Amino acid sequence: MVLMLLAAALPARGQEFATFLAALRADSFADKEQAVAALGKLGDGRAVAVLTALKDGRLLKAPDGRVIISQPPNLIDPMTGEVVPDLTADALDRVHINNRLRGAIEGALGELTLFSADPAARLAAARDAVRHPSVDGAVLLEKAIAAEKEADIRAAMQQSLSAARLLSGSKQEKLAAARALGTTTDPQIKNLLDQFRAASESDPELRQAADAALASIKHRLWLVGLLANLFQGVSLGSVLLLAAIGLAITFGVMGVINMAHGEMIMLGAYAAYVCQQVFRAFLPVGWINGYLAAALPVAFLCAGAVGVALERTVIRRLYGRPLETLLATWGVSLILQQTVRSIFGSPNREVANPSWMTGGFDLIGGFTVTWNRVCIIFFCLTVLAALALLLNRTSLGLQMRAVTQNRPMASVMGIRTARIDALTFGLGSGIAGMAGVALSQIGNVSPNLGTIYIVDSFLVVVFGGVGNLLGTFVGALFLGIVNKFLEPVAGAVLGKIVVLVTIILFIQRRPRGLFAPKGRSAEAEA
Amino acid sequence: MLKNIRYAVAVAAVIAGMPIAATAQSGDTIKVGVLHSLSGTMAISETTLKDTILMMVDDLNKHGGLLGKKVEAVVVDPASNWPLFAEKARDLLSKDKVAAVFGCWTSVSRKSVLPVFEELNGLLFYPVQYEGEESSNNVFYTGAAPNQQAIPAVEYLMSGEGGSVKRWVLEGTDYVYPRTTNKILEAFLKSKGVPPEDIRVNYTPFGYSDWQTEVAAIKSFASAGKKTAVVSTINGDANVPFYKELANAGIKASDIPVVAFSVGEEELAGIDTKNLVGHLAAWNYFQSVKNPTNEAFIRQWHDFIKDPKRVTNDPMEAHYIGFKMWTHAVEQAGTTDVDAVRQAMYGQKVKAPSGFVEVMNTNHHLSKPVMIGEIQSNGQFDVVWQTKQAIKADAWSPYLAEDKGKVADWSYPWVCGNCTKPKYTN
């Protein structure tokens, strides 16, 4: 109220800007919200910087009554845009905001940024406008469409305009809007159409248009849902596959029941963490986005080295004694967990997505594909392809296969079987380490990381058929997709149970999994 | 050979970080037990609480100990194994003869040790927010009951300031605390006139890591035109992938706020919070609270742990309060005898780092302030709302039909934690 009076009393624009700016210092969130709305309406270019800073928590209160923008390393006076030399950021209090205020700022900024010079900002603002359709918004959008040069941004604006007209336009406009919106796939627009349908009960023509648009959008939404499930299934499958590939070698090819496999994944994740910290501490700021490139080989070498050491010291002495191997490797897994806990502490460690793996994009309206998932799918396929090449096209791969298929014969042919065993185990562990780097991008980095994936990994390898890369690949994808199609129907807990029961029944029928096994384990059984 | 084996065992023990130096000083010491998992899945949260008690003991000894004696912490590791909690508790009470035990995190571990404490008449200080529905004569609950955390958080979101939320997703991990809390919340929401179709309840397994489907479902549930919020009782390890998926799916706090009851500063330390700014947590304490007691508490913690980057959190504060109250009660009673100390506990007041004076009530729960914080990009919380005064805990929820008439009051004439009639009548 005081604000309004002040606003009315001071006609000059610069004065108004100063008044509203000062009002941001208020203690109550409601007062601040009024000031934000007023700043948005003012159309003053300086407001954008102020509101953005407020949203990011960079707006500070100086003791002399000024409001100051922190732009490290400088402090800037938003009135003049000049650097404030006599204050330090640490000594000042922030202007606090809450979610409601954050929403108001986004709304105000959205209106301001519809005319921004940055196309990405315009596109975001155009898309955002769908969420709060209003008469004022429609007017702004019309102006923006007239000024817009880029086709896709104009299309987004057009869609938001249709949404605004659906509820507030003339009858003709409403009909056109309903028709246009029927071709979208956004659940929010479906909801708008539902409201529109309810509001136009009395007018048969409008109702018909609404019904047609709703039927069309429902069909599209169903298709999008199917696509989303499929993508999520493939994505889960790729995560399972990554976790299981290493095991497919150590368990599948060599027949070693390696309970410490999960800990190799965990070591890889910690390698990613260490690389990230090293990049943050020693390299220029811009390089941080590349830390994964360093983390992959480091993780491979670390986990691989631990794998070789494990094979040389423990597993070698236990070949052909699966029960002892199981217990020994389980012990090793506990030792590794506790070692990591002692070195890094038990709380989770923060591994940030590089900026190019952050966020996602709307493939089709209402279905967001996240970058980190896409990257992991591609990474997983690359690892699998590289591994297949290594096993089938190199002499090392040939020797590995020879040793697993017929050890005495391979030995007679001059292959140093002990060395090949160590290398094979190291390779499997190293790949698990690389998987750890990838998994650090979607989950925790904690000493318990491995225990989350160990059961699933064994499940995939056993289901796919022990000793068969193709089986592991098909098994992982199948499990991922089945899981994701079950989950919306049955819920996560029940879905998991159903999948487990299915696998148990399947293994009963086909004890050797999807694809019949080859290698040492098959010999042992024969 | 024997030497070799001994050596190997010693090395293994060092590697496993097992030996906890309990520097036993013969004679005049008072022992307190620390029953927190230092290995296994819960080590992530509980190790810090062990350190908090060690810090408090250290501080107490520096200031002359208790009743003229040194205080000694006996640390055991129940290894996130619920039956082992009961065994270790029995050892602490009958072998080590500790005067009080500070411990447990999960409700299931508390339920597991409860019979032991009741049988041997021990004292347990339980520092974690929990689902309520319990009041034992042998436990002091220094964390929040549902009416000190869950209900106020939901009320805040319902208010205009919190965004006038109309539609609710109750998202939890599948075990006793989320199930009970969500049962209470559902009853509360319905009592406020929220129709059942505007409530979505979903449970996921422990350590759940693939949140794509659930996040997409939340998104589509929220697109129904009413302001939607997520109330999360997701436990520890599943939180990081959940928040990562949320951030990447572009769900902003101003669209669909998520309020969590198990995510504090310690958990945020493992997450990149840049894209989570504005999501909420409800606690009785945040590290960012500004007052002299809290500043001293944080300084003490940093000095003790020798790492200025370590954060403090709500359960740590609860242990701080519990330990202070216990020492005050022992001094007042002049003995560590459990029955005497218990009587002295009622009405104990401590100036807490939350900035409030917190009181122990006769239902064995504290009166605590409730605070709602928003996540900031630096991994801390900004308090956006708090109660004017401390709220007294309800051990039994007034929103559940089966709790009707149940009273927890261990003073005369009730002397009972779960009764509809006083024990003594005249």
Side-chain angles (χ1 to χ4, degrees):
Chain A
M1 196 55 207
V2 177
L3 231 151
M4 299 260 220
L5 286 176
L6 279 176
L10 300 165
R13 266 217 160 168
Q15 285 285 354
E16 277 186 357
F17 182 70
T19 317
F20 296 139
L21 202 57
L24 286 177
R25 295 176 57 97
D27 279 331
S28 111
F29 287 119
D31 290 350
K32 285 187 225 177
E33 197 178 330
Q34 279 187 342
V36 165
L39 277 174
K41 290 243 167 61
L42 215 52
D44 193 316
R46 293 174 292 183
V48 178
V50 173
L51 291 177
T52 318
L54 180 58
K55 191 171 124 218
D56 299 344
R58 289 187 289 112
L59 203 64
L60 309 175
K61 291 192 247 186
D64 57 2
R66 276 184 301 175
V67 173
I68 299 210
I69 296 176
S70 156
Q71 214 157 44
N74 294 325
L75 293 177
I76 290 172
D77 187 338
M79 291 294 293
T80 55
E82 279 163 15
V83 174
V84 182
D86 53 336
L87 292 167
T88 55
D90 294 338
L92 303 182
D93 230 9
R94 251 173 337 114
V95 178
H96 293 260
I97 60 174
N98 65 2
N99 269 324
R100 193 180 153 133
L101 200 51
R102 209 168 274 123
I105 297 169
E106 274 160 19
L109 272 178
E111 284 170 10
L112 289 171
T113 46
L114 263 182
F115 302 95
S116 152
D118 174 15
R122 286 206 305 277
L123 185 61
R127 290 214 173 121
D128 206 49
V130 175
R131 274 190 255 152
H132 20 77
S134 68
V135 184
D136 290 354
V139 178
L140 267 177
L141 279 166
E142 271 170 5
K143 259 197 247 167
I145 289 170
E148 188 55 61
K149 296 272 190 311
E150 287 185 43
D152 52 336
I153 303 182
R154 202 160 53 216
M157 289 174 170
Q158 201 78 51
Q159 196 176 37
S160 301
L161 180 62
S162 298
R165 285 210 175 127
L166 198 56
L167 301 178
S168 58
S170 69
K171 186 173 171 184
Q172 228 45 44
E173 280 174 342
K174 281 185 182 174
L175 278 176
R179 229 171 289 132
L181 290 178
T183 58
T184 59
T185 48
D186 192 331
Q188 246 151 3
I189 292 181
K190 174 181 170 288
N191 170 59
L192 269 180
L193 281 168
D194 276 331
Q195 287 175 20
F196 171 63
R197 166 84 172 71
S200 54
E201 203 55 70
S202 54
D203 188 330
E205 205 179 336
L206 283 181
R207 202 176 58 216
Q208 223 172 13
D211 284 339
L214 270 175
S216 147
I217 207 169
K218 265 184 199 151
H219 180 64
R220 277 159 209 271
L221 275 178
W222 180 78
L223 281 178
V224 168
L226 213 62
L227 189 72
N229 274 344
L230 196 67
F231 174 78
Q232 288 160 0
V234 171
S235 160
L236 176 61
S238 71
V239 169
L240 290 177
L241 182 56
L242 261 181
I245 288 180
L247 196 70
I249 295 175
T250 52
F251 176 53
V253 177
M254 296 180 72
V256 175
I257 300 181
N258 180 16
M259 295 300 284
H261 171 71
E263 277 56 47
M264 303 298 166
I265 300 179
M266 186 247 316
L267 287 180
Y270 273 93
Y273 168 71
V274 170
C275 284
Q276 172 190 270
Q277 294 309 93
V278 168
F279 268 62
R280 275 187 186 164
F282 299 111
L283 292 174
V285 183
W287 287 39
I288 186 72
N289 280 330
Y291 81 87
L292 283 180
L296 283 176
V298 170
F300 182 83
L301 291 177
C302 287
V306 173
V308 170
L310 179 61
E311 202 273 346
R312 289 258 152 137
T313 52
V314 180
I315 293 172
R316 168 156 307 178
R317 298 162 210 282
L318 300 169
Y319 278 133
R321 288 149 69 188
L323 201 62
E324 282 96 326
T325 318
L326 190 152
L327 287 176
T329 51
W330 188 60
V332 169
S333 87
L334 291 184
I335 291 175
L336 285 175
Q337 275 183 37
Q338 204 61 35
T339 312
V340 168
R341 196 170 281 136
S342 305
I343 298 173
F344 293 96
S346 51
N348 283 336
R349 292 287 151 183
E350 177 238 328
V351 175
N353 289 154
S355 59
W356 51 272
M357 270 176 85
T358 308
F361 63 98
D362 275 336
L363 187 63
I364 318 172
F367 169 37
T368 313
V369 174
T370 56
W371 284 118
N372 58 356
R373 301 262 172 197
V374 175
C375 290
I376 285 176
I377 292 176
F378 279 106
F379 176 67
C380 168
L381 293 178
T382 315
V383 169
L384 192 70
L387 188 61
L389 275 181
L390 179 86
L391 283 182
N392 296 321
R393 291 275 184 279
T394 65
S395 67
L396 179 65
L398 188 68
Q399 293 180 0
M400 283 180 185
R401 284 181 294 137
V403 171
T404 41
Q405 279 165 18
N406 193 328
R407 176 180 296 270
M409 188 66 87
S411 179
V412 169
M413 300 294 284
I415 297 174
R416 288 159 63 195
T417 56
R419 185 169 159 269
I420 293 296
D421 281 336
L423 280 179
T424 315
F425 199 86
L427 176 70
S429 303
I431 290 175
M434 294 210 293
V437 176
L439 296 180
S440 73
Q441 297 301 308
I442 53 168
N444 297 303
V445 177
S446 76
N448 307 322
L449 171 68
T451 46
I452 302 175
Y453 290 104
I454 184 78
V455 176
D456 284 337
S457 306
F458 271 103
L459 218 58
V460 166
V461 174
V462 172
F463 177 67
V466 173
N468 193 313
L469 271 190
L470 182 68
T472 309
F473 174 68
V474 175
L477 276 190
F478 179 79
L479 285 183
I481 293 173
V482 167
N483 223 320
K484 284 295 150 189
F485 272 88
L486 270 176
E487 212 174 277
V489 188
V493 181
L494 198 61
K496 190 139 195 164
I497 295 173
V498 171
V499 167
L500 268 176
V501 171
T502 318
I503 289 183
I504 291 172
L505 291 179
F506 179 83
I507 297 293
Q508 292 285 321
R509 303 277 303 176
R510 290 188 61 159
R512 293 177 168 202
L514 275 178
F515 295 82
K518 296 178 210 136
R520 219 179 285 167
S521 57
E523 273 170 47
E525 278 167 286
Chain B
M1 184 62 196
L2 195 64
K3 205 175 169 188
N4 271 348
I5 290 174
R6 267 200 207 139
Y7 183 68
V9 167
V11 167
V14 168
I15 287 173
M18 299 293 279
I20 282 88
T23 45
Q25 294 174 346
S26 56
D28 281 347
T29 60
I30 294 175
K31 288 182 181 173
V32 294
V34 182
L35 184 64
H36 282 300
S37 301
L38 309 178
S39 57
T41 48
M42 291 314 295
I44 179 174
S45 308
E46 292 192 60
T47 312
T48 320
L49 294 185
K50 177 228 21 170
D51 290 331
T52 309
I53 291 299
L54 292 184
M55 170 184 90
M56 298 301 292
V57 168
D58 185 53
D59 183 63
L60 189 62
N61 285 335
K62 272 188 199 148
H63 291 90
L66 196 55
L67 302 179
K69 298 177 182 173
K70 285 262 176 223
V71 176
E72 176 197 334
V74 184
V75 179
V76 292
D77 178 16
S80 313
N81 174 344
W82 321 135
L84 196 57
F85 266 91
E87 272 176 47
K88 294 285 181 188
R90 187 172 291 279
D91 283 355
L92 281 175
L93 291 176
S94 50
K95 279 205 199 125
D96 296 305
K97 308 258 184 252
V98 296
V101 175
F102 295 82
C104 296
W105 180 290
T106 59
S107 287
V108 46
S109 66
R110 190 190 67 250
K111 297 266 186 209
S112 152
V113 300
L114 198 57
V116 178
F117 277 90
E118 290 183 344
E119 179 198 328
L120 300 175
N121 192 25
L123 267 189
L124 172 68
F125 286 80
Y126 177 66
V128 183
Q129 43 84 11
Y130 81 119
E131 68 279 3
E133 309 294 292
E134 193 181 295
S135 173
S136 163
N137 204 16
N138 296 91
V139 182
F140 283 101
Y141 307 82
T142 53
N147 74 314
Q148 292 172 314
Q149 189 189 28
I151 301 273
V154 167
E155 275 176 325
Y156 167 75
L157 285 172
M158 280 179 157
S159 73
E161 200 183 320
S164 315
V165 173
K166 298 274 185 284
R167 221 164 135 83
W168 303 87
V169 181
L170 309 182
E171 187 74 55
T173 301
D174 202 4
Y175 75 111
V176 51
Y177 163 67
R179 284 212 176 246
T180 316
T181 306
N182 285 346
K183 197 164 79 178
I184 295 172
L185 283 180
E186 248 187 296
F188 172 75
L189 287 173
K190 282 176 184 159
S191 80
K192 293 280 171 188
V194 177
E197 68 267 22
D198 281 350
I199 304 175
R200 174 191 158 88
V201 187
N202 187 59
Y203 294 100
T204 46
F206 265 103
Y208 192 61
S209 61
D210 197 274
W211 287 94
Q212 303 176 82
T213 312
E214 194 42 39
V215 166
I218 289 172
K219 228 174 159 180
S220 80
F221 185 79
S223 65
K226 291 180 185 168
K227 179 76 182 176
T228 307
V230 179
V231 178
S232 155
T233 39
I234 299 167
N235 170 280
D237 266 4
N239 272 307
V240 177
F242 175 63
Y243 280 112
K244 279 196 176 171
E245 192 70 37
L246 269 187
N248 282 328
I251 294 184
K252 285 182 290 184
S254 46
D255 303 333
I256 311 173
V258 177
V259 59
F261 301 149
S262 318
V263 176
E265 289 85 350
E266 185 93 351
E267 285 74 19
L268 284 189
I271 315 180
D272 174 24
T273 53
K274 276 198 291 296
N275 299 311
L276 296 173
V277 172
H279 287 303
L280 306 133
W283 290 105
N284 312 101
Y285 163 83
F286 286 109
Q287 186 183 348
S288 64
V289 170
K290 284 205 166 51
N291 63 62
T293 320
N294 190 30
E295 274 159 32
F297 175 53
I298 295 171
R299 205 177 320 116
Q300 189 188 352
W301 172 240
H302 286 167
D303 289 347
F304 178 80
I305 208 79
K306 296 188 180 60
D307 178 359
K309 282 189 186 147
R310 288 292 295 275
V311 293
T312 57
N313 64 13
D314 181 277
M316 285 173 67
E317 194 233 9
H319 254 350
Y320 172 96
I321 298 167
F323 192 85
K324 286 248 164 181
M325 281 188 175
W326 176 76
T327 54
H328 295 172
V330 169
E331 267 168 15
Q332 183 185 330
T335 165
T336 55
D337 177 71
V338 167
D339 293 316
V341 171
R342 177 166 41 227
Q343 288 306 319
M345 277 296 291
Y346 303 134
Q348 264 327 321
K349 287 185 185 139
V350 162
K351 184 138 182 54
S354 64
F356 289 71
V357 175
E358 305 198 358
V359 187
M360 180 53 77
N361 300 304
T362 51
N363 63 359
H364 282 225
H365 290 68
L366 288 170
S367 292
K368 306 186 114 198
V370 185
M371 303 176 180
I372 313 272
E374 285 188 359
I375 298 177
Q376 301 299 303
S377 51
N378 62 0
Q380 287 288 329
F381 290 89
D382 229 10
V383 177
V384 290
W385 180 86
Q386 65 177 27
T387 47
K388 300 250 174 346
Q389 65 260 335
I391 308 268
K392 192 183 167 192
D394 291 333
W396 302 98
S397 172
Y399 298 100
L400 291 181
E402 63 261 37
D403 287 359
K404 216 171 174 62
K406 281 191 188 169
V407 170
D409 185 348
W410 289 97
S411 64
Y412 192 84
W414 282 87
V415 198
C416 181
N418 178 15
C419 292
T420 48
K421 263 199 237 76
K423 191 171 171 189
Y424 300 98
T425 45
N426 48 0

